[in-house]
Short mmCIF file of all heavy atoms in Angstrom, two decimals:
data_model
loop_
_atom_site.label_atom_id
_atom_site.label_comp_id
_atom_site.label_asym_id
_atom_site.label_seq_id
_atom_site.Cartn_x
_atom_site.Cartn_y
_atom_site.Cartn_z
N LEU A 997 55.95 103.93 153.22
CA LEU A 997 56.82 102.99 152.57
C LEU A 997 56.53 102.83 150.90
O LEU A 997 57.01 101.87 150.36
CB LEU A 997 56.59 101.69 153.13
CG LEU A 997 57.00 101.61 154.70
CD1 LEU A 997 56.53 100.37 155.38
CD2 LEU A 997 58.32 101.81 155.01
N LEU A 1054 51.22 100.62 165.00
CA LEU A 1054 52.03 100.22 164.09
C LEU A 1054 53.48 100.37 164.45
O LEU A 1054 53.81 101.24 165.26
CB LEU A 1054 51.87 100.66 162.60
CG LEU A 1054 51.34 102.21 162.44
CD1 LEU A 1054 52.37 102.80 161.41
CD2 LEU A 1054 49.98 102.21 162.01
N GLY A 1071 46.95 100.36 158.18
CA GLY A 1071 46.23 99.28 158.84
C GLY A 1071 46.95 98.94 160.18
O GLY A 1071 46.53 99.48 161.23
N GLY A 1072 47.96 98.07 160.07
CA GLY A 1072 48.62 97.91 161.33
C GLY A 1072 48.35 96.70 162.11
O GLY A 1072 47.64 95.80 161.58
N LEU A 1073 48.77 96.73 163.35
CA LEU A 1073 48.67 95.52 164.11
C LEU A 1073 47.31 95.31 164.97
O LEU A 1073 47.12 94.20 165.50
CB LEU A 1073 49.84 95.57 165.14
CG LEU A 1073 51.16 95.89 164.54
CD1 LEU A 1073 52.14 96.35 165.56
CD2 LEU A 1073 51.84 94.64 163.80
N GLU A 1173 49.53 87.57 163.78
CA GLU A 1173 50.60 88.02 162.88
C GLU A 1173 51.57 86.78 162.60
O GLU A 1173 51.54 85.92 163.36
CB GLU A 1173 51.43 89.09 163.59
CG GLU A 1173 50.75 90.40 164.00
CD GLU A 1173 50.47 91.24 162.69
OE1 GLU A 1173 51.36 91.36 161.78
OE2 GLU A 1173 49.23 91.79 162.59
N ARG A 1248 58.50 90.93 165.89
CA ARG A 1248 57.71 91.07 164.78
C ARG A 1248 57.60 92.55 164.34
O ARG A 1248 57.75 92.80 163.10
CB ARG A 1248 56.13 90.63 165.12
CG ARG A 1248 55.07 91.25 164.10
CD ARG A 1248 55.27 90.64 162.77
NE ARG A 1248 54.21 91.37 161.75
CZ ARG A 1248 54.50 92.41 161.21
NH1 ARG A 1248 55.59 93.05 161.31
NH2 ARG A 1248 53.44 92.92 160.42
N ASP A 1265 53.39 94.84 149.43
CA ASP A 1265 52.38 94.84 150.42
C ASP A 1265 50.99 94.35 149.88
O ASP A 1265 50.37 95.18 149.19
CB ASP A 1265 52.31 96.26 151.03
CG ASP A 1265 51.07 96.56 151.82
OD1 ASP A 1265 50.62 95.59 152.62
OD2 ASP A 1265 50.53 97.66 151.81
N TYR A 1294 56.13 88.08 155.84
CA TYR A 1294 55.55 88.21 157.12
C TYR A 1294 54.32 89.03 156.92
O TYR A 1294 53.98 89.40 155.86
CB TYR A 1294 56.60 88.96 158.11
CG TYR A 1294 56.99 90.40 157.63
CD1 TYR A 1294 56.47 91.47 158.09
CD2 TYR A 1294 58.02 90.44 156.63
CE1 TYR A 1294 56.89 92.73 157.65
CE2 TYR A 1294 58.54 91.61 156.16
CZ TYR A 1294 57.86 92.85 156.67
OH TYR A 1294 58.40 93.97 156.26
N GLY A 1295 53.51 89.21 157.99
CA GLY A 1295 52.41 90.24 157.97
C GLY A 1295 51.33 89.84 158.75
O GLY A 1295 51.40 89.16 159.77
N HIS A 1296 50.14 90.52 158.37
CA HIS A 1296 48.91 90.56 159.08
C HIS A 1296 48.14 89.39 158.60
O HIS A 1296 47.17 89.75 157.90
CB HIS A 1296 48.19 91.88 159.06
CG HIS A 1296 49.24 93.08 159.22
ND1 HIS A 1296 49.82 93.48 160.35
CD2 HIS A 1296 49.65 93.97 158.16
CE1 HIS A 1296 50.60 94.48 160.17
NE2 HIS A 1296 50.64 94.85 158.85
N ASN A 1301 46.88 89.90 154.72
CA ASN A 1301 47.85 90.76 154.20
C ASN A 1301 49.33 90.29 154.31
O ASN A 1301 49.84 90.03 155.44
CB ASN A 1301 47.66 92.15 155.02
CG ASN A 1301 48.50 93.22 154.63
OD1 ASN A 1301 48.52 94.32 155.22
ND2 ASN A 1301 49.40 93.08 153.62
N HIS A 1303 53.37 90.87 153.69
CA HIS A 1303 54.50 91.63 153.42
C HIS A 1303 55.51 90.85 152.76
O HIS A 1303 56.18 90.06 153.48
CB HIS A 1303 54.95 92.46 154.63
CG HIS A 1303 53.98 93.40 155.06
ND1 HIS A 1303 53.27 94.30 154.27
CD2 HIS A 1303 53.56 93.65 156.31
CE1 HIS A 1303 52.42 95.09 155.06
NE2 HIS A 1303 52.61 94.72 156.28
N GLU A 1337 47.97 98.13 152.38
CA GLU A 1337 47.87 99.17 153.35
C GLU A 1337 48.93 100.32 153.26
O GLU A 1337 48.74 101.34 153.83
CB GLU A 1337 48.07 98.54 154.78
CG GLU A 1337 49.31 97.78 155.17
CD GLU A 1337 49.48 97.30 156.51
OE1 GLU A 1337 48.67 97.34 157.36
OE2 GLU A 1337 50.63 96.84 156.90
N HIS A 1338 49.94 100.12 152.51
CA HIS A 1338 50.95 101.13 152.50
C HIS A 1338 50.70 102.16 151.45
O HIS A 1338 51.23 103.37 151.37
CB HIS A 1338 52.39 100.53 152.00
CG HIS A 1338 52.88 99.69 153.04
ND1 HIS A 1338 53.85 98.70 152.80
CD2 HIS A 1338 52.62 99.53 154.33
CE1 HIS A 1338 54.12 98.06 153.95
NE2 HIS A 1338 53.33 98.51 154.92
ZN1 ZN B 751 52.00 95.86 157.89
#
Side-chain angles (χ1 to χ4, degrees):
L997 296 173
L1054 38 130
L1073 309 163
E1173 298 283 320
R1248 161 64 185 91
D1265 164 35
Y1294 57 99
H1296 318 287
N1301 182 181
H1303 293 312
E1337 56 174 16
H1338 298 160

